[in-house]
Amino acid sequence: MPAQNYQKDFASFDGKIWLNAASEGPLPLAADKALAQAVAWKMKPYLLDMGKFVTTVTGLKRSIGRLLGVDEADVILGNSASYGLHLLANGIPWKKGDEILTMQNDFPTNILPWLALEKKGVIVRQIKPKGRVLEPEELRKFVNARTRLLCLSHVHTFSGHVLDVAGFAQICKERGILFVLNLSQSLGAMPVDVGKFSVDAVVSAGYKWLCGPYGTGFCWIKPRLRKSLTLNQAYWAAMLSREDLLEECPLKLKDIQSARRFDVFGTANFFNHVPLKTAIDYWLESGLENVKAYHDTLVDRFIAGLRGSDYELISPEKGEKRSSLIVFSHADRNRNTQIYEILLSRGIYTALWKGNIRVAPHVYNTAQEIDQTVKALREI
Ligand SMILES: Cc1ncc(COP(=O)(O)O)c(C=O)c1O
């Protein structure tokens, strides 16, 4: 799809410049249209035939399966990235003394779900990286016979670095450690092939780069790991068939081990799941290689624009570690909050995290918007 075609697929932003897909991606027009249909089903419930309860879930899982490069039967619907991490934290049968490794200063989603396990005697280590993000070689000295799980992000929210997934996966494989990866800052911004990653589980939010509705997310858990989960999750709509529902005898808990069992309660959440599928299909049709190539032109342009200015780059300038998240700081870090606010007052929406400014352009942004933002930054 040619670069100049993307903007027509999104609403007009009324002159505002939205450079914060890493927090919230705008709904594509096609997804808005799909949502309107779901709203019509609610306004005229006779339009909501039983089939839609099934096809909404199966259709969305098929799209997510294609997006991730995994079997759709292993996709679990959630409502956030946190959802999948909690399934694992609450479902893995932990033993006292087990160790979980995380990265200090990672997005809290990747750390908080494990901390409650400390009450059970599980040790959670937040490893402080030497640089902006952890490198596989640094991990080695924290691994021991009790290490059970490593949880990291594909792209680091606060520094924009792409982590060396293959390097971490290799160590985890060698040492029999479960590797859980959060894709919230990469899915929708670059091609991701989970089948090639050699990870045990991935989680993602659906409302950032994927531009789905807020309160969406999903995960994929390797079947063997999923089948070992022991948490109490017995949602009637996931557990019982139509025939079961018609039975009059006492209910028995079924030993269902399919991914469906772990779906978030209330999958008939048509307002979210119908437009999320359309948004994901939009990226599948656009081709994430094309999306990434377009992002690269915007990121290159922004970085070139800052060169020789008072700003220093925190995210990588080029190469494989660079993502679509550009993180930078004024030479005088104390000025960043004021700069962020001035940009905001001019209708330029960036993010301020950990004292640094983050710009996250997506396909609806244009080269002119990048130039305007760079110009404003240089003037402030
Ligand atoms: C890496 C990462 N994971 C998760 C989230 C959001 O978490 P959740 O979808 O659980 O609300 C963010 C938000 O910025 C994030 O950067």
Side-chain angles (χ1 to χ4, degrees):
M1 184 181 282
Q4 62 270 25
N5 277 352
Y6 291 116
Q7 289 84 42
K8 71 167 180 19
D9 299 328
F10 291 82
S12 152
F13 295 156
D14 307 320
K16 308 270 194 273
I17 302 180
W18 183 254
L19 287 169
N20 197 8
S23 293
E24 198 70 49
L27 206 61
L29 292 175
D32 176 43
K33 216 166 140 191
L35 170 61
Q37 234 184 10
V39 172
W41 302 345
K42 186 66 189 163
M43 293 181 77
K44 302 177 182 184
Y46 50 84
L47 294 176
L48 187 61
D49 54 88
M50 285 305 287
K52 292 193 176 78
F53 283 83
V54 177
T55 55
T56 300
V57 173
T58 53
L60 176 55
K61 288 193 180 198
R62 191 169 315 124
S63 296
I64 296 170
R66 279 182 63 203
L67 178 76
L68 297 175
V70 300
D71 188 340
E72 65 197 65
D74 296 323
V75 171
I76 296 172
L77 299 184
N79 52 19
S80 57
S82 298
Y83 179 81
L85 295 173
H86 280 81
L87 285 181
L88 295 164
N90 296 333
I92 292 175
W94 303 100
K95 290 194 295 297
K96 196 163 179 260
D98 281 346
E99 295 193 7
I100 294 171
L101 303 180
T102 63
M103 183 180 89
Q104 187 178 315
N105 199 32
D106 201 349
F107 195 82
T109 295
N110 289 348
I111 302 171
L112 287 178
W114 315 111
L115 291 181
L117 300 171
E118 287 178 334
K119 275 193 264 157
K120 294 185 177 176
V122 173
I123 296 156
V124 182
R125 297 197 193 285
Q126 300 180 43
I127 306 172
K128 188 168 188 219
K130 288 206 187 87
R132 301 278 176 198
V133 294
L134 199 66
E135 295 294 340
E137 282 318 306
E138 286 176 76
L139 180 81
R140 282 194 190 275
K141 65 172 182 291
F142 291 91
V143 170
N144 61 47
R146 297 180 137 195
T147 311
R148 289 279 307 279
L149 185 142
L150 171 70
C151 179
L152 294 172
S153 276
H154 185 193
V155 172
H156 184 217
T157 312
F158 303 132
S159 75
H161 283 63
V162 179
L163 275 84
D164 180 357
V165 174
F168 289 112
Q170 180 61 33
I171 297 173
C172 288
K173 214 167 155 189
E174 280 167 21
R175 305 295 301 261
I177 299 165
L178 297 171
F179 185 18
V180 180
L181 194 64
N182 184 336
L183 304 176
S184 299
Q185 295 296 357
S186 57
L187 263 189
M190 61 170 86
V192 173
D193 188 346
V194 172
K196 288 196 184 135
F197 264 170
S198 196
V199 292
D200 296 283
V202 295
V203 301
S204 181
Y207 51 87
K208 295 177 183 289
W209 298 93
L210 289 173
C211 298
Y214 197 73
T216 54
F218 47 84
C219 70
W220 167 88
I221 302 177
K222 240 184 193 169
R224 221 174 88 194
L225 174 58
R226 184 184 76 225
K227 287 172 188 169
S228 74
L229 300 181
T230 58
L231 76 167
N232 176 14
Q233 184 120 337
Y235 183 52
W236 68 273
M239 216 162 233
L240 303 180
S241 67
R242 231 175 127 65
E243 291 71 38
D244 293 331
L245 287 169
L246 298 176
E247 283 285 343
E248 290 190 23
C249 47
L251 281 176
K252 282 205 192 90
L253 204 57
K254 285 187 165 182
D255 186 21
I256 295 178
Q257 293 183 330
S258 74
R260 177 90 177 93
R261 171 168 168 215
F262 294 106
D263 285 341
V264 68
F265 305 140
T267 40
N269 181 352
F270 301 109
F271 292 175
N272 272 357
H273 288 163
V274 170
L276 176 62
K277 179 189 175 341
T278 309
I280 291 174
D281 289 347
Y282 175 75
W283 302 116
L284 292 171
E285 280 156 28
S286 302
L288 284 164
E289 298 82 5
N290 301 330
V291 169
K292 169 83 169 84
Y294 183 63
H295 284 190
D296 279 342
T297 64
L298 297 179
V299 175
D300 282 339
R301 196 174 182 101
F302 189 89
I303 291 175
L306 283 196
R307 216 162 274 140
S309 70
D310 289 336
Y311 295 93
E312 48 201 46
L313 211 53
I314 285 160
S315 51
E317 190 179 339
K318 52 183 186 299
E320 283 185 354
K321 288 188 189 296
R322 194 179 84 174
S323 69
S324 302
L325 283 71
I326 313 163
V327 182
F328 59 95
S329 167
H330 192 274
D332 176 2
R333 284 196 90 220
N334 297 322
R335 290 203 55 204
N336 286 342
T337 305
Q338 186 205 11
I339 292 166
Y340 163 80
E341 275 162 10
I342 294 173
L343 288 175
L344 204 57
S345 71
R346 296 188 189 176
I348 302 174
Y349 294 78
T350 64
L352 186 71
W353 275 111
K354 312 269 176 182
N356 298 313
I357 302 170
R358 185 185 69 195
V359 159
H362 209 343
V363 294
Y364 41 80
N365 292 119
T366 62
Q368 291 85 329
E369 289 180 340
I370 296 295
D371 293 347
Q372 208 177 315
T373 306
V374 167
K375 186 165 174 282
L377 280 165
R378 282 179 162 273
E379 282 167 5
I380 293 169

